[in-house]
Amino acid sequence: MEDEDGLDDRGCRRGQQRSLVGALGVGFVNSGQACTAGTRILVQENQLDDVLALITKVATHYPVGDPRDPATAVGPMVSQRQWERVQSYIHRGIEAGARIAVGGPDRPDELPDGYHVRPTVFADVTNDMTIAREEIFGPVLSVITYRDEDHAVEIANDTTYGLHAYVFSSDPARARRIASRLEAGRVSVNGGYDPVSPFGGFKQSGLGREYGSFGLEGFLKPRSVML
């Protein structure tokens, strides 16, 4: 699982919606079947209702369908086994007490065949729930609330993974400050991306790096000559 960290900026509604478009975009990328998908969306407690209302609106921009159709934003799971696995996580979220804000179990009504999953967003998620702690590898996101900046960083770093994190903020300095505190190999700020920046994770997200000088070091063998 990778972390999606939203900050509590009190800017205009347009800016908040832009952040949520980014958050859902990195969560639903490749139908959620991506190691860099941001599956936890952190939201300040006093903004939860507004954010959930916006998520309901923005989620309509992610139609499920045939991946060959340019209008499709979320395609099918790779196999029946993976479809069943994702469905099991959705049911586990419901059983744990999380509330479905968007989507839910089973296939979309208009797609009775195939391995399609309803893009799903859970609310009332706590960071100890299975859906927040394990890598689902499907279009299933969890909204988790935080009290303040320190609490947000604590939640974001409370994971066994650390490959990729995301920060969305209208305050660039604040976003960089948060990014510097996240335990992840890559942190994207407001959608920033550099395809050749060193790629690799912390904790159970692996060792070593690809790309850049750090990637080249993996092909070198140091020799110590002691006199």
Side-chain angles (χ1 to χ4, degrees):
M1 179 192 304
E2 304 313 316
D3 310 307
E4 172 57 51
D5 304 298
L7 304 182
D8 61 317
D9 301 283
R10 301 181 181 278
C12 65
R13 190 174 182 85
R14 181 181 302 174
Q16 192 177 50
Q17 181 166 331
R18 187 163 53 245
S19 293
L20 282 172
V21 168
L24 293 182
V26 298
F28 292 151
V29 62
N30 202 41
S31 307
Q33 299 170 114
C35 56
T36 58
T39 55
R40 296 181 297 166
I41 302 176
L42 273 58
V43 176
Q44 181 136 9
E45 293 172 340
N46 60 9
Q47 294 193 22
L48 179 61
D49 291 342
D50 289 341
V51 168
L52 290 178
L54 278 173
I55 285 176
T56 302
K57 176 182 177 182
V58 173
T60 62
H61 299 300
Y62 294 90
V64 183
D66 188 330
R68 295 168 296 184
D69 183 347
T72 295
V74 178
M77 298 296 94
V78 69
S79 65
Q80 175 72 22
R81 180 179 179 182
Q82 180 61 17
W83 184 88
E84 292 173 351
R85 182 176 185 272
V86 174
Q87 294 300 313
S88 72
Y89 275 106
I90 294 174
H91 286 289
R92 289 165 81 175
I94 295 171
E95 292 166 2
R99 172 168 54 97
I100 292 177
V102 172
D106 302 321
R107 294 174 174 83
D109 294 337
E110 67 278 13
L111 294 167
D113 301 316
Y115 307 139
H116 300 285
V117 173
R118 300 171 187 262
T120 298
V121 180
F122 279 104
D124 300 338
V125 178
T126 56
N127 205 44
D128 59 346
M129 291 184 181
T130 300
I131 56 172
R133 302 207 68 81
E134 297 186 7
E135 192 172 37
I136 298 174
F137 236 63
V140 181
L141 312 182
S142 297
V143 174
I144 302 174
T145 58
Y146 64 89
R147 296 184 303 273
D148 53 32
E149 190 172 293
D150 288 339
H151 190 212
V153 172
E154 177 185 344
I155 294 171
N157 289 336
D158 181 18
T159 172
T160 58
Y161 301 103
L163 182 61
H164 208 308
Y166 303 86
V167 179
F168 294 94
S169 174
S170 60
D171 183 342
R174 186 183 188 201
R176 288 194 295 271
R177 182 174 71 247
I178 292 290
S180 69
R181 299 176 64 188
L182 298 181
E183 297 170 357
R186 272 185 174 181
V187 182
S188 171
V189 175
N190 292 331
Y193 178 67
D194 182 348
V196 296
S197 65
F199 180 74
F202 293 1
K203 300 182 245 187
Q204 290 187 20
S205 289
L207 300 171
R209 292 294 183 269
E210 294 180 294
Y211 311 127
S213 60
F214 293 98
L216 292 174
E217 288 177 0
F219 295 92
L220 303 178
K221 294 184 181 297
R223 174 186 292 112
S224 297
V225 178
M226 296 169 286
L227 303 176

